[in-house]
Amino acid sequence: MKVIIGSVVVLALALAALFAMSTHTEVNVSPVATIGVATPVTVSLNNPHGERAVEAWLEQDGKRFPLLEEKGPSHRLFWKRHEAARRLTFEAGKNKVPDLKEGKARLVVETTSNDFRGSSDSASADVNVVLTAPRVFADGFQHYINQGGMELVAFTPSGSWSEAGVRVGKYTFRSFPLPGHSDQRFSMFAYPWDLAADVVPEVYARNEGGTEATAKFWFKLFPKKFRARDFPVEDALMEKLVNSVDPNNTLAPGKDLVSRFLFINGDLRRKNNQELADLRLKTEEKILWNGPFLHWGKEEANYADVRAYMYHGQKIDEQVHLGFDLSDTQNTPVKAANDGKVVWAADMGIYGNCIVVDHGYGLQSIYGHLREIDVKVGDAVQKGQKMGIEGQTGLAGGTHLHFGMQVDGVQVNPREWWDEHWIQDRVMSKLAPDAKIPVASTTETAAETPHKKKRHQK
Ligand SMILES: [Zn+2]
């Protein structure tokens, strides 16, 4: 009898211990606000004992639509103790749940711990179901584009859309409301110097569910052959350049002079160009510029010059120069090329003391290698206003101004913006509030075969 009671007590204690040692699962649903046609959802699960079951479903109008059901072998007594946290990705949306309707729904994930107690844990998220397709029509203008330059296109997105702009190969450009045309938007976009001449720009509109519509527009590209230049960097110059950018030898410590130069000319150049590109978000949604941009000094280097860096007769590097080098006499003031607002006024690696001025709608001008900066971030500047003095800070062999321009973070050839007629013709005529915008192209949604429709034009 005693033995039986003893056994029961031992068993009860063992079960209580197993129960106490069982754990819960931490369940997290990655932020997903919108479910579309086929939206991937990621869930992270964390339980040292693992899960014996995972279920996910959508709830809408009192109905439950299953999305995922995963069952593994049960371990109630000899469970695992060091299961790693894991992530599960599954699809939610109209493809999987044909009865899903536009509107609100709830995404629920429920798990069962793989141990004695088998705790049930869940997480849920309110989601918005967006199924209406976006549509987009481009304008009917004739768009003449210089490779390395930019162009403006107007377009009309409709249906359900949350993001719209222009795509040119791997590059994407934002859009802004078109002044005077409440239903239309426009993008200033570049045809970047590094794209092949057969890339077709397109406007796009995308809804929150990830469905996208695109439309082509009439354009003609003028391909450009960019100059190739040898750029000799012998020891004295290399030493000067390296020590100007990195006087305390902190960028590539312990490396020889050539390695330090290659780091600055390559890695640091890429980092600085990314810093410039990121300034695109600091823009005003209005025209700040006024007429053509100022041009001064002598052109020593051009936009998109391909430079072969020669050291003791050997090519050690190749980089593309994305602005103009304008040289003048010493102590030349650096003037704002147009009206705008200062968004950068500090050192920027290879560009040395650098100023970036925003001119609105993602258009910005860049001034590098200054000896002295007289403005600060936030200052409004007027065309011709002195902002500093030319110098040779950063990666500069002699005193000159590095002048560049960028459109939504992509550096373009400033020459177009020095030309009053080009600005009037390509940009201002379309941004006038009473501008007549011809509508031409048809729309194509992602669900259709791309390019199958013929556009018609005026
Ligand atoms: Zn330069």
Side-chain angles (χ1 to χ4, degrees), residues 89-382:
T89 298
F90 55 90
E91 184 189 302
K94 183 86 175 167
N95 280 355
K96 209 139 188 200
V97 183
D99 290 338
L100 202 59
K101 292 183 187 65
E102 189 105 2
K104 295 200 178 314
R106 196 167 177 75
L107 174 75
V108 185
V109 179
E110 195 176 85
T111 66
T112 310
S113 299
N114 206 357
D115 52 23
F116 181 71
R117 181 160 39 147
S119 290
S120 203
D121 297 283
S122 67
S124 64
D126 287 321
V127 294
N128 206 10
V129 179
V130 174
L131 301 169
T132 314
R135 290 162 62 78
V136 65
F137 297 87
D139 69 32
F141 287 118
Q142 295 189 330
H143 299 276
Y144 294 94
I145 310 173
N146 295 309
Q147 194 170 12
M150 59 140 281
E151 171 61 357
L152 188 154
V153 63
F155 59 95
T156 312
S158 61
S160 163
W161 66 275
S162 59
E163 193 203 321
V166 170
R167 192 175 298 118
V168 191
K170 63 184 176 179
Y171 295 90
T172 301
F173 300 86
R174 274 177 300 176
S175 65
F176 301 96
L178 183 67
H181 301 74
S182 58
D183 58 335
Q184 296 189 44
R185 298 181 70 82
F186 77 96
S187 286
M188 294 203 290
F189 66 94
Y191 195 107
W193 64 273
D194 63 343
L195 289 184
D198 60 354
V199 174
V200 177
E202 57 186 16
V203 293
Y204 73 91
R206 197 192 345 250
N207 71 14
E208 287 180 343
T211 305
E212 187 176 282
T214 61
K216 307 270 186 291
F217 48 87
W218 191 97
F219 80 99
K220 179 171 167 52
L221 178 76
F222 299 106
K224 292 271 180 284
K225 184 120 181 62
F226 298 108
R227 305 192 307 185
R229 289 276 160 118
D230 278 357
F231 194 94
V233 269
E234 296 312 333
D235 291 285
L237 176 59
M238 192 179 283
E239 192 128 0
K240 173 190 187 299
L241 294 173
V242 166
N243 288 323
S244 164
V245 176
D246 183 24
N248 300 317
N249 195 1
T250 52
L251 292 175
K255 296 281 171 58
D256 62 23
L257 186 66
V258 172
S259 304
R260 291 176 65 199
F261 173 77
L262 292 176
F263 179 87
I264 290 167
N265 207 33
D267 295 59
L268 186 62
R269 179 184 297 270
R270 271 188 294 283
K271 175 175 174 275
N272 296 149
N273 283 335
Q274 187 58 50
E275 283 173 303
L276 286 176
D278 292 344
L279 291 171
R280 75 195 183 94
L281 298 175
K282 291 187 161 186
T283 194
E284 297 209 16
E285 292 197 16
K286 58 180 172 194
I287 297 173
L288 299 179
W289 72 85
N290 169 23
F293 283 62
L294 294 182
H295 174 284
W296 65 90
K298 180 169 169 282
E299 292 173 11
E300 301 282 358
N302 283 6
Y303 172 82
D305 279 353
V306 180
R307 287 175 170 174
Y309 291 84
M310 306 300 292
Y311 179 72
H312 294 308
Q314 294 243 327
K315 179 175 160 183
I316 55 166
D317 201 5
E318 182 178 293
Q319 299 292 342
V320 178
H321 183 254
L322 292 174
F324 273 82
D325 285 346
L326 305 173
S327 78
D328 222 322
T329 48
Q330 300 277 344
N331 300 320
T332 304
V334 170
K335 293 171 277 186
N338 217 316
D339 298 355
K341 197 171 182 181
V342 177
V343 293
W344 183 276
D347 176 72
M348 192 191 273
I350 66 163
Y351 294 101
N353 290 327
C354 179
I355 298 174
V356 179
V357 176
D358 177 54
H359 303 288
Y361 291 133
L363 180 69
Q364 296 173 329
S365 55
I366 301 158
Y367 312 77
H369 310 314
L370 276 62
R371 192 181 83 201
E372 185 186 302
I373 294 179
D374 303 334
V375 290
K376 58 184 190 308
V377 170
D379 284 358
V381 291
Q382 288 194 333

Side-chain angles (χ1 to χ4, degrees), residues 57-76:
W57 63 88
L58 277 170
E59 292 171 0
Q60 193 178 47
D61 302 332
K63 283 187 221 120
R64 178 171 158 160
F65 305 107
L67 296 173
L68 168 83
E69 205 176 340
E70 191 196 87
K71 279 202 161 71
S74 273
H75 303 289
R76 286 177 197 275

